[in-house]
Amino acid sequence: MYYKLKDDLRLRGWELLSTGIVRKLSEEVSFMPTEVYRALQKACGSVPINSPLFSPKEKKILDELLQEGILEKTDTPVPLTPEQKYRLYPNRFLYSVHWSITGNCNCRCRHCYMSAPTRMDALVRGQARDVPHLSPPTRMDAEPTLEECLDIVRQMEAAGVRAVSLTGGEALVRPDFFKIVDALLDADILINTVMSNGLLVNERTLDEFERRGIKPEFNMSFDGIDCHDWLRGIPGVEKAVKRAFKLCKERGFPTGAEYCLHKGNIHALRDSVKLLGELGCQTLKVNRLSLEGEGVAIADKAITRDEEYQAYLDYIPQFYEDGAPLSIMLAGIFSNIGKDDYMIPCEKNLEDEDCGNYCLCGHARSQMYITPDGYMVPCIPMGSVEGGRRHFPNLKTTTLSSALQDSYYMDFIDMRLRDYFAHNPGCESCQYRNRCAGGCRGHVAAIGGGEDLLARDEDTCGFFRQGWYKKITELMSSVLSKSSNIG
Ligand code: SF4
Ligand code: SF4
Ligand code: SF4
């Protein structure tokens, strides 16, 4: 008898994380202690199970790997396939990329931070590559060519990226969308989410995904019952997106949603959440209207930070009264955990932790956003303003793997809380210093223009120092004690 690595497992390693095992087209990635990994590699060859070449300790490890389903037994030696063989990527591990494959869109949203042009606008301005016309792009190059996209896929493969979420603009407006999907799948990169406005989420699109054996989540904007079309700039989008949610539910594709809160749709939040729950939507993120890109033209509809937080405080009891219809995240200050618990996502650490060496932005260590014009930034808020993205590397001048070895991106993800405190001495002495941990750098860039990425995040600061943190914890202790009394 011999050991054999399960068919869909591959041996992979990255700088600082050299003992990885991944499952083909799956979210699974794990890292093993070196001695376990060595025993595993030794077993994936032609040494018989009962060979004295395996020490008693190794035999014990291999028994456990058999039980965990990583190894199986065979009658004859089965060498690793070329895909399974160990591959070492020279760069740091990056689990997933959120990738804007186009800046073009079929909507006309009044708040679009990209000022995304429609395909027709883009053709007229010469931004689409299929017309030989050279007028300058607006805020971002509208659309990378297919060849440029395929090159980015090759770069992701060379850097060992495991998953992507596709976005735009509107990702589905690309006629070659499924060529990009196929290239990703061929490169063993899982597509876990497609962000969309829903207009092109139809039977045909879902058929194409199903034919490839995948069911990504469709994450679609929904900006309120009877309010959606106003923000989206085109009549009929609300009807279309509701149809898209319903269709995904019927066909077993998971869905999530985003809600942009403003004066015109605060009143619709409760009923909209209930509706989304009925439509099978599993997650919802709510944030207030941000005044970037086209959004500056509708500044009169914007609400302030305090109005936003108050709206959430008013809504949270109703959310539980309605049976917590889905998983909700309210501007990073509240997130439910099932029907009877919650967390405050922006509360990063405990009061008495020694946090100086903690990373300033842990999220960017595992996830990157690539803008339509090739900037590699930590997240959409950072990429949404020129002042934010200009700090970061661009795929036109370097490669993803190189950027993950030495670039400002690496400097950014290696920034520590002590660097932040050195930059903001007032924060070091603040009673909330550990809980707040400086807030979110992307938010700082989006609101402040990105000149000083180490500046204070005023929204998070206000949440803690203006009493909102206290109010929400008090509110939740009353909401949860009422619901446990009822239970
Ligand atoms: S759907 Fe998104 S990309 Fe398209 S116009 Fe609206 S906000 Fe912009
Ligand atoms: S609450 Fe404000 S002052 Fe305190 S650590 Fe956070 S940003 Fe700094
Ligand atoms: S800067 Fe903020 S939004 Fe961006 S990745 Fe970090 S925590 Fe997330």
Side-chain angles (χ1 to χ4, degrees):
M1 295 289 276
Y2 298 84
Y3 294 108
K4 170 182 177 295
L5 186 67
K6 282 273 177 76
D7 286 340
D8 57 352
L9 296 178
R10 280 101 182 80
L11 305 178
R12 299 290 184 262
W14 290 260
E15 186 193 350
L16 304 182
L17 287 171
S18 59
T19 57
I21 187 154
V22 304
R23 196 177 293 278
K24 182 179 178 346
L25 286 177
S26 138
E27 302 200 326
E28 274 184 61
V29 184
S30 54
F31 297 97
M32 296 174 167
T34 308
E35 67 171 352
V36 175
Y37 208 67
R38 283 214 188 105
L40 172 66
Q41 284 178 305
K42 194 167 157 188
C44 295
S46 53
V47 185
I49 284 181
N50 54 10
S51 165
L53 289 175
F54 292 121
S55 69
K57 192 170 183 190
E58 284 174 331
K59 281 190 177 149
K60 189 164 175 284
I61 289 171
L62 295 172
D63 274 350
E64 281 167 15
L65 294 176
L66 280 169
Q67 277 166 26
E68 287 168 23
I70 290 170
L71 289 172
E72 59 188 347
K73 291 180 180 174
T74 62
D75 293 333
T76 50
V78 180
L80 292 175
T81 63
E83 296 80 40
Q84 289 183 305
K85 279 191 178 156
Y86 184 67
R87 185 167 173 190
L88 180 65
Y89 303 101
N91 48 274
R92 292 275 280 274
F93 177 63
L94 179 74
Y95 173 68
S96 76
V97 169
H98 187 52
W99 181 20
S100 273
I101 55 173
T102 178
N104 286 334
C105 190
N106 50 357
C107 258
R108 262 275 159 249
C109 299
R110 294 170 194 266
H111 66 316
C112 182
Y113 80 85
M114 265 185 205
S115 308
T118 60
R119 281 197 81 75
M120 190 50 72
D121 289 343
L123 283 166
V124 169
R125 281 203 296 266
Q127 290 171 349
R129 305 297 167 98
D130 37 356
V131 286
H133 183 93
L134 292 174
S135 54
T138 49
R139 301 182 68 230
M140 288 197 192
D141 247 287
E143 193 164 283
T145 62
L146 176 60
E147 193 36 57
E148 285 166 339
C149 287
L150 297 181
D151 183 53
I152 292 173
V153 174
R154 285 190 286 271
Q155 293 199 36
M156 288 186 203
E157 185 183 20
V161 169
R162 297 301 306 149
V164 297
S165 55
L166 295 174
T167 187
E170 168 58 44
L172 294 169
V173 296
R174 285 193 72 119
D176 50 17
F177 177 81
F178 280 99
K179 287 189 180 155
I180 298 170
V181 167
D182 287 336
L184 286 163
L185 298 179
D186 287 348
D188 187 21
I189 298 172
L190 177 74
I191 299 158
N192 52 21
T193 309
V194 178
M195 313 279 288
S196 173
N197 56 36
L199 288 174
L200 293 171
V201 178
N202 50 34
E203 297 275 12
R204 216 190 108 252
T205 304
L206 301 192
D207 287 347
E208 289 290 334
F209 277 110
E210 252 180 8
R211 207 158 62 74
R212 289 161 174 84
I214 53 170
K215 288 197 166 181
E217 173 185 311
F218 282 91
N219 194 291
M220 298 180 274
S221 304
F222 187 73
D223 301 308
I225 297 173
D226 296 334
C227 308
H228 189 72
D229 287 359
W230 177 83
L231 194 64
R232 297 283 139 189
I234 299 178
V237 186
E238 180 172 336
K239 195 170 162 201
V241 77
K242 285 180 190 160
R243 176 197 46 73
F245 275 112
K246 197 160 166 270
L247 182 64
C248 287
K249 184 181 179 190
E250 285 163 8
R251 300 274 306 258
F253 281 76
T255 52
E258 305 219 354
Y259 193 103
C260 173
L261 198 70
H262 57 84
K263 283 182 186 160
N265 68 1
I266 285 190
H267 67 280
L269 182 60
R270 181 177 192 174
D271 286 342
S272 301
V273 175
K274 282 201 274 186
L275 176 69
L276 286 168
E278 286 159 21
L279 291 171
C281 178
Q282 292 159 4
T283 60
L284 174 68
K285 281 188 189 165
V286 187
N287 283 290
R288 74 177 187 272
L289 172 68
S290 161
L291 299 182
E292 299 154 44
E294 302 287 305
V296 288
I298 51 167
D300 59 322
K301 290 283 186 208
I303 55 173
T304 63
R305 176 192 71 205
D306 288 352
E307 286 168 338
E308 181 187 24
Y309 292 168
Q310 187 58 53
Y312 299 149
L313 254 69
D314 295 342
Y315 171 61
I316 287 168
Q318 300 168 353
F319 174 78
Y320 285 95
E321 277 167 33
D322 295 339
L326 40 63
S327 289
I328 202 164
M329 162 101 93
L330 302 172
I333 68 161
F334 173 85
S335 181
N336 71 302
I337 301 174
K339 294 185 190 300
D340 52 16
D341 205 357
Y342 77 106
M343 64 177 287
I344 295 177
C346 67
E347 184 179 19
K348 292 193 188 147
N349 310 299
L350 299 175
E351 207 165 294
D352 52 2
E353 273 179 90
D354 180 7
C355 304
N357 202 32
Y358 289 8
C359 293
L360 202 46
C361 170
H363 193 242
R365 296 178 83 81
S366 63
Q367 193 161 357
M368 173 190 278
Y369 170 54
I370 299 181
T371 68
D373 51 353
Y375 283 99
M376 294 173 266
V377 292
C379 52
I380 289 184
M382 188 69 81
S384 69
V385 284
E386 168 60 24
R389 58 182 179 265
R390 79 181 161 80
H391 299 277
F392 288 88
N394 192 298
L395 284 167
K396 288 174 186 156
T397 53
T398 184
T399 63
L400 180 57
S401 180
S402 307
L404 288 172
Q405 293 170 64
D406 183 16
S407 71
Y408 182 73
Y409 193 88
M410 297 310 297
D411 297 344
F412 180 85
I413 66 171
D414 277 337
M415 269 180 204
R416 306 288 152 160
L417 206 44
R418 61 168 174 270
D419 302 323
Y420 173 81
F421 288 138
H423 194 75
N424 298 277
C427 289
E428 184 147 33
S429 53
C430 168
Q431 63 170 308
Y432 300 107
R433 62 194 292 272
N434 286 354
R435 293 185 194 282
C436 157
C440 161
R441 303 300 93 211
H443 197 70
V444 164
I447 301 289
E451 287 314 307
D452 179 7
L453 294 186
L454 278 179
R456 282 195 332 195
D457 169 1
E458 295 299 341
D459 274 9
T460 306
C461 187
F463 173 71
F464 286 102
R465 287 172 70 98
Q466 306 302 319
W468 295 104
Y469 173 73
K470 188 164 177 279
K471 282 184 195 169
I472 215 161
T473 46
E474 285 170 2
L475 172 75
M476 285 314 298
S477 86
S478 135
V479 167
L480 295 180
S481 74
K482 266 188 212 154
S483 66
S484 69
N485 287 342
I486 292 167

